[in-house]
Amino acid sequence: MNVPIQIIDLNFLDTKQSIGSFLIPTAKGPVLIESGPETTFSVLKAGIEKAGYKIEDIHAVLLTHIHFDHAGAAWKFAKNGTKIYVHQVGLPHLANPEKLWNSAAQIYGDDMNRLWGKMEPIPEDLLIAANDGDVINFGNVQFKVIYTPGHAVHHNAYQLNDVIFTGDVAGCKIANGPVVPPCPPPDIDLGLWKKSIQKLKDANPSALYLTHFARQEHPVQLLEELEIELDNWANFIKPFFDAGTPAHEIVPQFMQFTSQAFKAKGLTDTEIQIYEYANPSWMSVNGLLRYWKLKQQGRL
């Protein structure tokens, strides 16, 4: 059955094609995949209304994971009684987001409100664990849950017929640019990530829907390119880790490294900035440094 999928561009930081949500009609009411951050809620609301619905009509929100750019506005829907689906590891953090907020505040500092807005608790009776292999049934539409850690320990992808909504596990690919891996702390695990990529390949999708950004028609090619970039990024950081170089000294060099790769693909400065909004280079430095530290300690 061909199910219509509407992509809603959330215009994060007044920029197109950085963060998206996906609206899918079902027999039980429209379902949303990804809420985006609270700062873009008004744009999301306008997109839902343009599609002919009201916020109150949203039957369920499926979150790929609990990072703010994917889940920050979920509580706004819960205010109307909407059920929120998320992996069981992430569920407690949405019921009580204080730890999640404080952890993010250590990274973003004074930019928290500007980037993400507010995050309020979601009542536990509206939070539903979505775990590997589960089938979430909305009458004529079914989503299969694919647990896909590596980017985050609480990460799911959702398969609808022959397409998969991938959150961050299939990377970021904007317009005609390359696919790149978002590597924020604290959960980056390249071994798990590559196993998750294989799970996506094994599902044999015809297309992937990336939160950053939109529909991608060549899944195997994209996923293979992502694996290469995961290694490229991690191997760039490794010598700095071995030398004990602090993150703030690595960031400008890593940004130059990624910028050169983007420019080699023909991207303009404006297009590179969109990638930076979707996937800040400095954050991947911190995530990959932590990855190598855990690897050194034998914890991965």
Side-chain angles (χ1 to χ4, degrees):
M1 180 182 64
N2 187 20
V3 179
I5 299 166
Q6 179 161 337
I7 301 167
I8 300 176
D9 190 333
L10 300 182
N11 292 334
F12 180 61
L13 297 177
D14 297 320
T15 301
K16 293 187 178 300
Q17 299 190 341
S18 178
I19 304 176
S21 292
F22 307 100
L23 186 67
I24 299 115
T26 81
K28 293 187 175 181
V31 170
L32 194 70
I33 297 180
E34 312 284 53
S35 71
E38 193 264 348
T39 49
T40 61
F41 181 74
S42 62
V43 178
L44 177 57
K45 180 175 181 289
I48 290 169
E49 290 172 350
K50 186 176 180 180
Y53 301 106
K54 298 177 181 178
I55 287 292
E56 295 80 7
D57 296 330
I58 300 299
H59 180 73
V61 177
L62 279 61
L63 301 174
T64 60
H65 59 303
I66 63 172
H67 292 164
F68 286 92
D69 52 335
H70 297 256
W75 65 272
K76 302 277 281 187
F77 291 91
K79 292 284 188 184
N80 298 315
T82 301
K83 289 184 169 59
I84 311 297
Y85 292 76
V86 65
H87 188 267
Q88 63 181 7
V89 174
L91 190 150
H93 296 285
L94 296 183
N96 181 9
E98 183 177 2
K99 183 178 178 180
L100 178 65
W101 182 270
N102 291 340
S103 176
Q106 292 179 26
I107 298 172
Y108 295 104
D110 293 340
D111 272 342
M112 280 295 290
N113 287 329
R114 180 180 70 88
L115 294 172
W116 313 125
K118 295 193 299 181
M119 195 172 194
E120 295 186 8
I122 296 174
E124 291 188 18
D125 63 334
L126 294 178
L127 288 167
I128 300 177
N131 296 321
D132 195 34
D134 288 353
V135 175
I136 305 171
N137 193 319
F138 299 114
N140 62 325
V141 175
Q142 293 83 37
F143 294 92
K144 181 182 177 181
V145 181
I146 306 174
Y147 179 48
T148 47
H151 167 81
V153 71
H154 42 75
H155 197 291
N156 283 331
Y158 296 98
Q159 183 170 3
L160 170 61
N161 299 331
D162 64 343
V163 303
I164 302 177
F165 301 87
T166 60
D168 280 344
V169 74
C172 303
K173 178 176 171 58
I174 296 167
N176 294 318
V179 61
V180 295
C183 295
D187 293 339
I188 298 303
D189 183 330
L190 268 63
L192 282 179
W193 200 328
K194 290 178 181 180
K195 289 180 181 178
S196 293
I197 288 172
Q198 188 59 51
K199 288 174 79 171
L200 297 181
K201 289 181 182 178
D202 291 344
N204 194 30
S206 65
L208 305 176
Y209 281 84
L210 277 59
T211 307
H212 317 284
F213 182 82
R215 183 180 172 103
Q216 305 295 328
E217 298 288 352
H218 304 288
V220 173
Q221 179 181 334
L222 180 145
L223 293 169
E224 289 178 350
E225 290 175 359
L226 176 63
E227 286 188 273
I228 292 170
E229 283 306 297
L230 271 170
D231 286 333
N232 286 344
W233 284 26
N235 291 336
F236 181 89
I237 296 296
K238 182 63 160 57
F240 293 102
F241 170 77
D242 290 340
T245 309
H248 72 271
E249 293 183 14
I250 305 171
V251 166
Q253 298 182 69
F254 185 69
M255 290 186 72
Q256 183 180 21
F257 167 72
T258 58
S259 179
Q260 287 174 342
F262 286 139
K263 288 181 177 178
K265 296 286 188 179
L267 270 66
T268 66
D269 289 341
T270 299
E271 290 168 330
I272 293 171
Q273 183 60 69
I274 297 171
Y275 268 95
E276 284 294 321
Y277 286 155
N279 179 27
S281 295
W282 61 268
M283 188 178 298
S284 287
V285 169
N286 287 283
L288 288 168
L289 283 174
R290 179 173 171 80
Y291 164 74
W292 284 119
K293 180 178 180 180
L294 295 177
K295 190 84 170 170
Q296 182 187 65
Q297 294 171 345
R299 295 165 61 187
L300 293 179

